[in-house]
């Protein structure tokens, strides 16, 4: 926590293009604290991303460390197994850049489920944003055909939901239908973290409580802040995991709490950069996580799930 608070106090730096979207260890560690902060001792979980060994953020001028490959990941899993440490209630996956790592993640899910059949697998299918892929094209079909079917909850953005359902999403109705397609493939909970409809953001949530039954769906309108942020998708998925564990039968409430935390944090982030004389539209902003601890632990609900 000390390291992360230091990182968060850094002067704003220019991100190096789209690499700024890559998840990093710093963020993974913080997300660990986010989930633990919400759930206390109720859960045990693993977060996996291909950047587990990267010691800082790929958007900084310099970053060090290696990317963990699939074999190295499996090695760690074997080490845990040898010590009888493979019982987990939750698995969260974020950015994964290679088919080899993703295939190992599939093996890991099977392994963890053989130890705990009740494992909740929350998958953020990080593929791209705003019409642009930021992983190799070959990952898309692996996600669609192998990963999505075994996920418990999926948290795509608009573009990712389109890729995974082979559909176009330009309206709320399209978003709801994409959720139905995803339910049919496997996951009982889907949150499309945002779709852009006429300049405003709309979160679409969908919970299919019983297979074959119509899901309960809702939307949360979110006013768009004119800035780009790094880490919002990761934070959103971590919060959804945490609050869904607390409210397993109320995805709407979990999403209200998550959106309210994220928005409070984004407002603080913009204020902080503005105070430092930074033009918030000139580069992507690092979210102010540590300074927003109270908003993460105990958000004031300002955004409501609308059921229609
Ligand atoms: P990332 O690019 O970090 O992977 P994502 O594309 O996966 O994010 P988004 O849906 O873009 O996911 O963002 C996640 C959440 O962050 C949204 O639900 C929204 O609450 C918040 N958010 C992101 N950008 C903005 C913004 N400019 N204005 C308001 N809210 C935002
Ligand atoms: Mg986005
Ligand atoms: Na997302
Ligand atoms: Mg994302």
């Amino acid at each position: 926590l000390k390291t992360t608070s230091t990182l968060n106090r850094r002067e704003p730096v220019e991100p190096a293009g789209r690499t700024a979207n890559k998840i990093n260890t710093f963020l993974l560690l913080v997300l660990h604290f986010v989930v633990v902060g919400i759930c206390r001792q109720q859960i045990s979980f693993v977060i996996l991303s291909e950047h587990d060994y990267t010691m800082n953020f790929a958007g900084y001028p310099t970053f060090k460390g290696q990317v963990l490959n699939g074999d190295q990941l499996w090695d760690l899993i074997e080490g845990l197994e040898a010590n009888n440490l493979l019982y987990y209630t939750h698995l969260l996956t974020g950015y994964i850049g290679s088919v080899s790592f993703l295939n190992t993640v599939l093996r890991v899910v099977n392994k963890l489920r053989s130890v705990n059949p009740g494992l909740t697998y929350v998958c953020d299918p990080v593929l791209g944003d705003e019409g642009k892929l930021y992983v190799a094209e070959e990952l898309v079909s692996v996600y669609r055909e192998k990963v999505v079917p075994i996920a418990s909850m999926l948290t795509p953005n608009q573009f990712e939901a389109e890729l995974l359902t082979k559909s176009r999403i330009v309206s709320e109705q399209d978003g709801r239908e994409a959720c139905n397609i995803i339910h049919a493939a496997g996951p009982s909970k889907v949150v499309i973290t945002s779709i852009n409809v006429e300049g405003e953001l709309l979160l679409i949530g969908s919970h299919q409580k019983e297979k074959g039954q119509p899901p309960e769906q809702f939307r949360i309108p979110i006013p768009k802040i004119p800035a780009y942020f790094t880490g919002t998708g990761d934070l959103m998925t971590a919060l959804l995991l945490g609050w869904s564990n607390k409210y397993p039968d109320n995805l709407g409430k979990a999403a209200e709490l998550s959106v309210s935390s994220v928005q409070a944090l984004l407002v603080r982030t913009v204020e902080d950069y503005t105070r430092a004389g930074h033009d918030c539209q000139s580069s992507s902003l690092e979210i102010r996580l540590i300074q927003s601890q109270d908003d993460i632990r105990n958000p004031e609900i300002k955004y409501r799930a609308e059921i229609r």
Side-chain angles (χ1 to χ4, degrees), residues 74 101 146 165:
W74 193 249
F101 193 92
K146 295 191 184 162
T165 59

Side-chain angles (χ1 to χ4, degrees), residues 61-248:
T62 299
F63 60 97
K64 296 275 190 180
Q66 296 82 44
V67 173
L68 186 72
N69 70 34
D71 292 341
Q72 291 164 328
L73 169 62
W74 193 249
D75 205 35
L76 293 175
I77 295 293
E78 285 180 337
L80 289 168
E81 187 177 30
N83 290 310
N84 205 11
L85 288 171
L86 269 192
Y87 182 91
Y88 289 101
T89 60
H90 290 73
L91 167 71
L92 184 158
T93 59
Y95 173 82
I96 291 164
S98 71
V99 171
S100 118
F101 193 92
L102 195 53
N103 279 324
T104 307
V105 166
L106 292 167
R107 285 176 76 189
V108 173
V109 178
N110 283 332
K111 184 112 212 148
L112 297 183
R113 287 219 166 114
S114 73
V115 180
N116 175 19
L119 174 92
T120 299
Y121 171 29
V122 177
C123 173
D124 187 6
V126 181
L127 294 169
D129 208 355
E130 298 183 1
K132 283 196 210 74
L133 274 178
Y134 37 72
V135 298
E137 169 118 49
E138 57 190 8
L139 267 97
V140 178
S141 60
V142 182
Y143 267 105
R144 193 193 302 119
E145 283 150 31
K146 295 191 184 162
V147 183
V148 171
I150 58 168
S152 319
M153 169 151 68
L154 204 73
T155 61
N157 62 30
Q158 180 172 10
F159 180 53
E160 290 155 350
E162 289 183 331
L163 292 168
L164 296 173
T165 59
K166 296 187 177 173
S167 68
R168 278 286 283 146
I169 302 174
V170 292
S171 66
E172 179 185 346
Q173 188 52 33
D174 295 342
R176 288 170 181 258
E177 280 162 22
C179 291
N180 293 339
I181 296 172
I182 293 167
H183 287 313
S188 59
K189 290 180 182 172
V190 183
V191 175
I192 302 178
T193 51
S194 67
I195 63 175
N196 239 304
V197 181
E198 284 150 21
E200 285 298 295
L201 300 177
L202 213 50
L203 175 149
I204 309 282
S206 187
H207 184 186
Q208 186 179 47
K209 292 190 168 167
E210 262 170 77
K211 263 279 157 242
Q213 295 298 307
E216 293 178 14
Q217 300 191 321
F218 60 88
R219 62 171 192 180
I220 304 181
I222 302 168
K224 188 166 184 166
I225 300 169
Y228 280 95
F229 303 93
T230 294
T232 49
D234 302 330
L235 176 63
M236 192 69 195
T237 299
L239 288 167
L240 286 167
L241 187 160
W243 290 118
S244 301
N245 177 63
K246 210 149 193 175
Y247 302 103

Side-chain angles (χ1 to χ4, degrees), residues 5-15 59-61 272-273 275-278 283-284 286 288:
S5 71
T6 312
L7 274 173
N8 246 351
R9 262 189 268 107
R10 281 177 61 125
E11 288 304 303
V13 291
E14 292 294 314
Y60 289 155
D272 206 47
Y273 273 85
R275 217 175 10 252
H278 185 84
S283 66
S284 95
E286 259 180 74
R288 295 299 187 240

